[in-house]
Amino acid sequence: MVKLAEWRGKELFRKYGVPVPTGRVVRSAEEGERAAASGSVPLPCVVKAQVLAGGRGKGGAVRFANSPSEVHAATAAILGLEFKGEKVREVLLEGKVAIGRELYLAIALDRSLRSPVLMASAEGGVEIETVADGAVDRQPIDPFPGITGFERRRAARTLGLSGGLANELDPILRALWALFQAEDAELVEINPLAVVGDHLLALDSKVIIEDDAGFRHPEYAEIRDDRTPLEEIAREKEIAFVQLDGNIGVIANGAGLTMATLDVLMELGGKPGVFLDLGGTDDPKKVTEAFLLMAEARPNAVFLNIFGGVTRCDTVATGLVAAMRQVPEANRFPLVARIRGNNEKEGIEILRAAGVTSVPDLRASAEAVVAAAGGGR
Ligand code: ADP
Ligand code: MG
């Protein structure tokens, strides 16, 4: 999934015709001050951290400024923040508007309904999860007609809009739907959609692009801001590497075995922290690279679970042993291995010679690694 930063989402809003305030993104306090002084950002303005986490308003990551020097100060302060674990590198400056009401409007892909759903609520401006279920109206959208007149009128009623404001909602809904479809989004959210005088204005954007449509959108390949630095390196090396919150590293081959391994560890109370899918690779060089990357994530223990089908156990083991020798002392970790299948005996022998025992039983090996990582339940 590709989550777009607010300013990128707003660029799409502009392109498709959802009204947004005048603004621009800056990457330093000086740049911010110049933008305000030159009038390319209207004053007073809002200064917003461009991080992917929500709740910036409440968390001090949205500030206001009245002059170029205040923009400098606010931008500097926000650029110095680490917001919910994410370093702020970009700041959006945009004109401050006088908000009448804050509404919520979104189109999301509902996987259980297998349908896009139009969501509307008169209680916008707060995180939607905190709004009572009954206060969010959900209308499944048939993709062929798209959003119909009936659905638009019902949304207007939910939002409490009538007259000119209801008329303004129509093109916004059309634009949102066009964006949702053409960009292959799984979520397009405006929260808040603000009533400003006689007009509607999108003050925030949340756009998530569907991963499976990536081949249709090469333009998004470069802006996966949700990757960790190690995941970024892995992507460049074409290694399937994912970082989670836990402390056990998992190296397996094939998505199925990798997921099953994570399930078994969770079942035993272990917390998988990083996993690496070797896929069909048994190229020792690639295995070494992958293993070194794993070591950099500093797991408490690593579980190597390999099934040699196409992959040969002995070449995987060779790559692994080569890699183990290169891991710096500080990044060393206990390793539990389970290798089965093609050239199993040779693989086990290579590991044994390097001091790693292969435990053939899945449950026993998983228990061993959970214990080595500091225990489960
Ligand atoms: P988040 O959802 O991360 O809290 P928002 O972009 O929704 O961030 O901003 C939080 C709040 O800040 C909004 O609900 C709104 O009240 C206020 N706000 C945001 N942009 C503007 C703006 N351009 N003018 C005035 N107020 C704004
Ligand atoms: Mg918001």
Side-chain angles (χ1 to χ4, degrees), residues 45-127:
C45 72
V46 274
V47 181
K48 309 175 80 176
Q50 296 301 286
V51 286
L52 298 175
R56 294 168 301 165
K58 267 186 287 172
V62 174
R63 302 196 188 186
F64 299 95
N66 294 306
S67 64
S69 62
E70 282 185 27
V71 170
H72 186 286
T75 306
I78 286 185
L79 281 172
L81 285 181
E82 198 175 285
F83 190 74
K84 299 185 181 170
E86 210 179 321
K87 250 191 89 53
V88 183
R89 296 198 166 81
E90 299 172 326
V91 168
L92 177 65
L93 304 178
E94 66 178 24
K96 180 181 176 187
V97 299
I99 301 172
R101 293 166 54 212
E102 298 196 323
L103 313 172
Y104 177 93
L105 193 63
I107 301 174
L109 191 64
D110 185 314
R111 290 173 198 278
S112 53
L113 286 178
R114 302 180 183 186
S115 165
V117 174
L118 173 63
M119 295 161 71
S121 174
E123 296 178 28
V126 294
E127 281 180 75

